């Protein structure tokens, strides 16, 4: 089986995965799974987020909300570019919406996804040479064995991550909830984003 067929076969398995319902690590997923992942045999950029939210669970399309608009602005790309699987692969740490906590916020990504699927999925996308690690869970995976005390620290040390293979940009979540963080850390927009846009643009040419 060639790499393309192997990737298609693996994604077909992911799409019908029910591990978090039938063999959960803790409490089972409280609703029907709907894995959201955009594989690619050609994209050099991988977007590694946290997990789909309730809106993405309903649509099956990642980042179809204001946070997606902000992320695309950060990257300097259009929606057509962003949703072109030849250009961007999208693989969150948890493929399914994990449900809500008692305060109405999203629960953490399910551990089952990364433990069972992630290494195999990434191994079948060897062309990826730039990873956008959004949030602490993605950063813990893609920047290991480094350990950061916070997302802020991981993002602040962004220059050091450009020396690893594949390159990684640690990013805060583009949610409106982080607007205050962006105001407190103006270097993110003035120093990091221009380099990020340049790195992304060089891989879309």
């Amino acid at each position: 089986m060639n790499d393309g067929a192997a990737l298609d076969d693996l994604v077909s398995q992911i799409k019908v995965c029910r591990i978090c319902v039938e063999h959960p690590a803790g409490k089972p997923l409280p609703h029907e799974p709907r894995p959201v992942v955009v594989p690619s045999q050609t994209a050099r950029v991988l977007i590694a987020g946290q997990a789909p939210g309730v809106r993405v669970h309903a649509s099956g399309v990642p980042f179809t909300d204001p946070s997606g608009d902000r992320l695309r602005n950060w990257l300097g790309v259009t929606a057509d570019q962003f949703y072109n699987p030849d250009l961007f692969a999208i693989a969150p740490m948890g493929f399914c919406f994990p449900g809500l906590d008692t305060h109405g916020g999203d629960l953490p990504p399910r551990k089952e996804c990364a433990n069972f699927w992630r290494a195999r999925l990434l191994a079948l996308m060897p062309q990826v040479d730039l990873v956008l690690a959004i949030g602490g869970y993605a950063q813990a995976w893609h920047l290991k064995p480094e350990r950061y005390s916070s997302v802020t620290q991981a993002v602040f040390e962004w220059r050091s991550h450009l020396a690893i293979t594949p390159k990684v940009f640690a990013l805060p979540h583009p949610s409106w909830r982080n607007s205050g963080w962006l105001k407190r850390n103006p270097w993110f927009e003035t120093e990091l984003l221009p380099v990020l846009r340049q790195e992304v643009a060089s891989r879309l040419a």
Side-chain angles (χ1 to χ4, degrees), residues 61-125:
V61 182
F63 291 104
T64 51
D65 55 21
S67 68
D69 294 336
R70 174 176 270 175
L71 178 59
R72 287 182 281 275
N73 177 261
W74 285 354
L75 306 183
V77 301
T78 65
D80 286 343
Q81 290 173 311
F82 186 84
Y83 289 112
N84 183 345
D86 291 334
L87 303 179
F88 289 94
I90 303 175
M93 296 306 299
F95 297 139
C96 292
F97 171 53
L100 301 175
D101 62 24
T102 56
H103 302 290
D106 289 0
L107 289 167
R110 300 288 307 198
K111 295 179 181 179
E112 298 91 337
C113 291
N115 290 345
F116 194 79
W117 298 112
R118 194 164 194 82
R120 288 191 286 165
L121 179 63
L122 298 186
L124 292 173
M125 297 192 293

Side-chain angles (χ1 to χ4, degrees), residues 2 93 99 109 126 200:
N2 62 38
M93 296 306 299
V200 169

Side-chain angles (χ1 to χ4, degrees), residues 160-184:
S160 67
H161 308 150
L162 301 182
I164 64 178
T165 302
K167 291 182 178 180
V168 177
F169 271 91
L171 302 175
H173 196 280
S175 166
W176 62 269
R177 295 182 179 87
N178 280 332
S179 295
W181 186 95
L182 295 172
K183 290 181 180 179
R184 294 191 299 273

Side-chain angles (χ1 to χ4, degrees), residues 23-34:
H23 305 285
K27 294 181 179 180
L29 190 73
H31 49 259
E32 273 298 298
R34 188 179 190 182

